[in-house]
Coordinates of all heavy atoms in Angstrom, one line a residue:
S1 N -17.2 -9.8 -4.8 CA -16.6 -10.0 -6.2 C -17.4 -11.1 -6.9 O -17.0 -11.9 -7.8 CB -15.3 -10.5 -6.1 OG -14.7 -10.7 -7.5
D2 N -18.7 -11.2 -6.6 CA -19.6 -12.1 -7.3 C -20.7 -11.4 -7.9 O -22.0 -11.9 -8.1 CB -20.1 -13.2 -6.2 CG -20.6 -14.5 -6.9 OD1 -20.5 -14.5 -8.2 OD2 -21.2 -15.3 -6.2
I3 N -20.5 -10.2 -8.3 CA -21.6 -9.3 -8.8 C -21.9 -9.7 -10.2 O -23.1 -9.9 -10.5 CB -21.1 -7.8 -8.7 CG1 -20.7 -7.4 -7.3 CG2 -22.2 -6.9 -9.2 CD1 -20.0 -6.1 -7.2
S4 N -21.0 -9.7 -11.0 CA -21.3 -9.9 -12.5 C -21.2 -11.3 -12.8 O -20.5 -11.8 -13.8 CB -20.4 -9.2 -13.4 OG -20.3 -7.8 -13.0
Y5 N -22.0 -12.2 -12.1 CA -21.9 -13.6 -12.3 C -22.2 -14.1 -13.7 O -21.5 -15.0 -14.2 CB -22.9 -14.4 -11.4 CG -22.9 -15.9 -11.4 CD1 -22.0 -16.5 -10.7 CD2 -23.7 -16.5 -12.3 CE1 -21.9 -17.8 -10.6 CE2 -23.6 -17.9 -12.3 CZ -22.7 -18.6 -11.5 OH -22.8 -19.9 -11.6
F6 N -23.0 -13.5 -14.4 CA -23.5 -13.8 -15.7 C -22.7 -13.2 -16.8 O -23.2 -13.4 -18.1 CB -25.0 -13.8 -15.9 CG -25.8 -14.6 -15.0 CD1 -26.4 -14.2 -13.9 CD2 -25.8 -16.0 -15.3 CE1 -27.2 -15.0 -13.1 CE2 -26.4 -16.9 -14.4 CZ -27.1 -16.4 -13.4
G7 N -21.7 -12.4 -16.6 CA -20.9 -11.9 -17.6 C -21.5 -10.7 -18.4 O -21.1 -10.5 -19.5
V8 N -22.4 -10.1 -17.9 CA -23.0 -8.8 -18.5 C -22.8 -7.6 -17.7 O -22.9 -6.6 -18.2 CB -24.4 -9.2 -18.9 CG1 -24.6 -10.3 -19.8 CG2 -25.3 -9.3 -17.5
G9 N -22.6 -7.7 -16.5 CA -22.7 -6.5 -15.5 C -21.8 -5.3 -15.8 O -22.1 -4.3 -15.9
G10 N -20.5 -5.6 -15.9 CA -19.5 -4.7 -16.2 C -19.8 -4.0 -17.5 O -19.7 -2.8 -17.6
K11 N -20.1 -4.7 -18.6 CA -20.4 -4.1 -19.8 C -21.8 -3.1 -19.8 O -21.7 -2.1 -20.5 CB -20.4 -5.1 -21.0 CG -19.0 -5.6 -21.2 CD -19.0 -6.8 -22.1 CE -19.5 -8.2 -21.3 NZ -18.5 -8.5 -20.3
Q12 N -22.6 -3.7 -19.2 CA -23.9 -2.9 -19.1 C -23.5 -1.7 -18.2 O -24.2 -0.6 -18.5 CB -25.0 -3.7 -18.3 CG -25.7 -4.8 -19.2 CD -26.7 -5.6 -18.5 OE1 -26.7 -5.6 -17.3 NE2 -27.7 -6.1 -19.3
A13 N -22.8 -1.7 -17.2 CA -22.5 -0.6 -16.4 C -21.8 0.5 -17.2 O -22.0 1.7 -17.1 CB -21.8 -1.1 -15.1
V14 N -20.8 0.0 -17.9 CA -20.0 1.0 -18.8 C -20.8 1.7 -19.5 O -20.7 3.0 -19.7 CB -18.9 0.1 -19.5 CG1 -18.4 0.9 -20.7 CG2 -17.7 -0.4 -18.8
F15 N -21.7 1.1 -20.4 CA -22.6 1.9 -21.3 C -23.9 2.5 -20.7 O -24.6 3.3 -21.4 CB -23.0 1.0 -22.6 CG -21.7 0.7 -23.4 CD1 -21.0 -0.6 -23.3 CD2 -21.2 1.6 -24.1 CE1 -20.0 -0.8 -24.1 CE2 -20.1 1.5 -25.0 CZ -19.4 0.2 -24.9
F16 N -24.0 2.3 -19.4 CA -24.9 3.2 -18.6 C -24.3 4.5 -18.3 O -24.9 5.5 -18.3 CB -25.5 2.4 -17.5 CG -26.4 3.1 -16.6 CD1 -27.6 3.7 -17.1 CD2 -26.0 3.7 -15.4 CE1 -28.6 4.5 -16.2 CE2 -26.7 4.6 -14.6 CZ -28.0 4.9 -15.0
V17 N -23.1 4.4 -17.7 CA -22.3 5.6 -17.3 C -21.7 6.4 -18.4 O -21.8 7.6 -18.3 CB -21.1 5.0 -16.3 CG1 -20.3 6.2 -15.8 CG2 -21.8 4.3 -15.1
G18 N -21.3 5.7 -19.4 CA -20.7 6.6 -20.5 C -20.8 5.8 -21.8 O -21.7 5.0 -22.0
Q19 N -19.9 6.1 -22.7 CA -20.0 5.7 -24.0 C -18.8 4.9 -24.6 O -18.8 4.5 -25.8 CB -20.2 7.0 -25.1 CG -21.6 7.6 -24.8 CD -21.9 8.6 -25.8 OE1 -21.2 9.0 -26.7 NE2 -23.2 9.0 -25.9
S20 N -17.9 4.7 -23.7 CA -16.7 4.0 -24.1 C -16.0 3.4 -22.8 O -16.3 3.9 -21.7 CB -15.7 4.7 -24.7 OG -15.2 5.8 -24.0
A21 N -15.3 2.3 -23.0 CA -14.5 1.7 -21.9 C -13.0 1.5 -22.4 O -12.8 1.0 -23.4 CB -15.2 0.3 -21.5
R22 N -12.1 1.9 -21.5 CA -10.7 1.6 -21.8 C -10.1 0.8 -20.6 O -10.1 1.1 -19.4 CB -9.8 2.8 -21.9 CG -8.3 2.6 -22.0 CD -7.6 3.8 -22.4 NE -7.6 4.1 -23.9 CZ -8.2 5.3 -24.3 NH1 -8.8 6.0 -23.5 NH2 -8.2 5.4 -25.6
M23 N -9.6 -0.5 -20.8 CA -9.1 -1.3 -19.8 C -7.6 -1.4 -20.0 O -7.2 -1.9 -21.1 CB -9.8 -2.6 -19.7 CG -11.2 -2.5 -19.3 SD -12.1 -4.2 -19.2 CE -11.2 -4.8 -17.9
I24 N -6.8 -1.1 -19.1 CA -5.3 -1.1 -19.3 C -4.7 -2.1 -18.1 O -5.2 -2.0 -17.0 CB -4.6 0.1 -19.2 CG1 -5.1 1.2 -20.1 CG2 -3.0 0.0 -19.3 CD1 -4.7 2.6 -20.0
S25 N -4.1 -3.2 -18.5 CA -3.8 -4.2 -17.7 C -2.3 -4.7 -17.8 O -1.9 -5.0 -19.0 CB -4.8 -5.3 -17.5 OG -4.4 -6.3 -16.6
K26 N -1.7 -5.1 -16.7 CA -0.3 -5.8 -17.0 C -0.3 -7.0 -16.0 O -0.4 -6.9 -14.8 CB 0.7 -4.7 -16.4 CG 2.1 -5.4 -16.5 CD 3.3 -4.5 -15.8 CE 4.5 -5.2 -15.6 NZ 4.4 -6.4 -14.7
P27 N -0.3 -8.1 -16.5 CA -0.2 -9.4 -15.8 C 1.0 -9.3 -14.8 O 2.1 -8.9 -15.2 CB -0.1 -10.5 -16.9 CG -0.6 -9.9 -18.2 CD -0.1 -8.5 -18.0
A28 N 0.8 -9.9 -13.7 CA 1.8 -9.8 -12.7 C 3.1 -10.6 -13.2 O 4.2 -10.2 -12.8 CB 1.4 -10.4 -11.5
E29 N 2.9 -11.6 -14.0 CA 4.1 -12.4 -14.4 C 4.7 -12.0 -15.7 O 5.5 -12.6 -16.4 CB 3.8 -13.9 -14.4 CG 2.7 -14.2 -15.6 CD 1.3 -13.9 -15.1 OE1 1.2 -13.5 -14.0 OE2 0.4 -14.2 -16.0
S30 N 4.4 -10.8 -16.3 CA 4.6 -10.5 -17.7 C 5.0 -9.0 -17.6 O 4.7 -8.2 -16.7 CB 3.5 -10.6 -18.6 OG 3.7 -10.0 -19.9
Q31 N 5.9 -8.7 -18.6 CA 6.3 -7.1 -18.8 C 5.4 -6.4 -19.7 O 5.5 -5.3 -19.9 CB 7.6 -7.1 -19.3 CG 8.7 -7.6 -18.4 CD 8.7 -6.9 -17.0 OE1 8.8 -5.8 -17.0 NE2 8.9 -7.7 -16.0
D32 N 4.5 -7.1 -20.4 CA 3.6 -6.6 -21.4 C 2.5 -5.8 -20.7 O 1.9 -6.3 -19.7 CB 3.0 -7.7 -22.3 CG 4.1 -8.4 -23.2 OD1 5.2 -7.7 -23.4 OD2 3.9 -9.4 -23.6
V33 N 2.1 -4.7 -21.3 CA 1.0 -4.0 -20.8 C -0.1 -4.1 -21.9 O 0.3 -3.8 -23.1 CB 1.2 -2.6 -20.6 CG1 -0.1 -1.6 -20.2 CG2 2.2 -2.4 -19.5
H34 N -1.3 -4.4 -21.6 CA -2.5 -4.7 -22.6 C -3.5 -3.6 -22.5 O -3.9 -3.3 -21.4 CB -3.0 -6.1 -22.6 CG -2.0 -7.2 -22.6 ND1 -1.3 -7.4 -23.8 CD2 -1.4 -7.9 -21.7 CE1 -0.4 -8.4 -23.6 NE2 -0.5 -8.8 -22.3
E35 N -4.2 -3.2 -23.6 CA -5.1 -2.2 -23.5 C -6.4 -2.7 -24.4 O -6.1 -3.2 -25.6 CB -4.7 -0.9 -24.0 CG -5.6 0.2 -24.0 CD -5.1 1.7 -24.4 OE1 -3.9 1.6 -24.8 OE2 -5.9 2.6 -24.4
L36 N -7.5 -2.5 -23.9 CA -8.8 -2.9 -24.5 C -9.7 -1.6 -24.6 O -9.8 -1.0 -23.7 CB -9.5 -4.0 -23.9 CG -10.9 -4.2 -24.3 CD1 -11.0 -5.0 -25.7 CD2 -11.8 -5.3 -23.3
V37 N -10.2 -1.3 -25.8 CA -11.1 -0.2 -25.9 C -12.4 -0.7 -26.5 O -12.3 -1.3 -27.6 CB -10.5 0.9 -26.7 CG1 -11.5 2.1 -26.9 CG2 -9.1 1.4 -26.2
L38 N -13.5 -0.4 -25.9 CA -14.9 -0.6 -26.5 C -15.3 0.7 -26.5 O -15.6 1.4 -25.6 CB -15.6 -1.5 -25.6 CG -15.2 -2.8 -25.3 CD1 -16.2 -3.6 -24.4 CD2 -15.2 -3.8 -26.7
S39 N -15.8 1.1 -27.7 CA -16.4 2.6 -27.9 C -17.6 2.6 -28.8 O -17.6 2.0 -29.9 CB -15.2 3.4 -28.6 OG -15.8 4.6 -29.1
K40 N -18.6 3.2 -28.3 CA -19.8 3.4 -29.0 C -19.6 4.1 -30.4 O -20.0 3.7 -31.4 CB -20.9 4.1 -28.3 CG -22.3 4.3 -29.0 CD -23.1 5.0 -28.2 CE -24.7 5.2 -28.7 NZ -25.6 6.1 -28.0

């Protein structure tokens, strides 16, 4: 879990593999579900 040390790896990988990213997450201590979309 030390791969993307400089904060670019995940986003570079997303746009190498495809043209958009959708992240859906629910914090353990919350009932809220959050969604982030980055789309070319």
Side-chain angles (χ1 to χ4, degrees):
S1 184
D2 204 3
I3 303 171
S4 301
Y5 182 85
F6 294 106
V8 299
K11 290 168 282 293
Q12 287 182 333
V14 161
F15 289 106
F16 172 73
V17 174
Q19 296 186 344
S20 66
R22 172 176 280 114
M23 295 179 66
I24 304 172
S25 186
K26 175 187 173 297
E29 66 281 358
S30 171
Q31 295 302 313
D32 295 336
V33 176
H34 305 289
E35 180 176 3
L36 165 72
V37 177
L38 295 177
S39 167
K40 179 178 180 180

